[in-house]
Amino acid sequence: MIELREDMQIRAMESNDVNVIFHAIEHQDISKRLDYIARCWEENKTGQRVTLVAFYKGQFAGWLHLLSQSYYPYFQQNNIPEINNFDVIPALRRKGIGNALMDGIEQIAFEKYGIVGIGVGLYPSYGSAQRIYARRGYIPDGRGISYENVIVKPGSMVRVDDELVLYMVKEAPNSSSENSK
């Protein structure tokens, strides 16, 4: 467990977290299906995913995932793990929980890979995420925007939804990762 402050704890997901997470986010605008949460736990056991969970004053506050194999082709080809599905309970935002989760997951990624990638949506609901990633030093991967993990060609029409993404990367501090191109 990563102990950050007396009122906050960040740790790796455990099996009993599946139901805790489901019930904590069930009626939030970040709700997820129980089978998805259970699949995340299974992928943690196989090493396909690392999930960190945050608790604030003893209550589930958020989670963040690191996929060892991204679905985005450029990250796959260059062995860049992807930060994925970043959720903080809306009433608990702006308490440092999101940055604490990011600190933890970046540390894991940097130790193993020296680099990490992330995708962010392009409409206003993603505004806070766009800002936090920029403040944390993420830069666009230089390939433009993607829709359903395919680079959008100039002049094409795409739907503006959760699948329209700008992918970004961040290298470990004082690192010249051989993964970056």
Side-chain angles (χ1 to χ4, degrees), residues 67-130:
L67 302 177
S68 58
Q69 175 101 14
S70 173
Y71 297 107
Y72 176 52
Y74 175 75
F75 287 178
Q76 284 178 1
Q77 294 159 4
N78 291 282
N79 198 33
I80 300 172
E82 181 186 337
I83 293 173
N84 182 270
N85 194 29
F86 185 8
D87 293 315
V88 175
I89 300 288
L92 298 176
R93 292 177 182 162
R94 305 194 64 74
K95 296 183 182 304
I97 296 163
N99 274 310
L101 283 165
M102 288 288 289
D103 288 344
I105 215 80
E106 284 177 355
Q107 180 180 351
I108 292 166
F110 292 156
E111 285 174 5
K112 187 169 182 180
Y113 301 93
I115 192 168
V116 68
I118 195 164
V120 66
L122 297 177
Y123 60 88
S125 294
Y126 287 96
S128 294
Q130 293 165 0

Side-chain angles (χ1 to χ4, degrees), residues 12-63:
M13 184 182 192
E14 299 172 356
S15 63
N16 62 341
D17 291 328
V18 172
N19 286 321
V20 170
I21 293 167
F22 177 74
H23 292 297
I25 65 177
E26 179 175 28
H27 300 293
Q28 305 288 329
D29 68 350
I30 58 171
S31 67
K32 303 288 188 282
R33 293 171 42 125
L34 182 59
D35 62 334
Y36 170 76
I37 300 167
R39 188 181 81 215
C40 290
W41 168 241
E42 291 301 316
E43 290 177 1
N44 272 264
K45 293 192 308 188
T46 64
Q48 295 171 277
R49 172 188 304 258
V50 173
T51 302
L52 294 183
V53 293
F55 289 84
Y56 182 75
K57 296 183 178 178
Q59 294 182 22
F60 176 80
W63 64 342

Side-chain angles (χ1 to χ4, degrees), residues 3-9 57:
E3 194 76 41
L4 295 172
R5 302 187 321 223
E6 189 176 306
D7 59 354
M8 185 187 338
Q9 295 177 340
K57 296 183 178 178

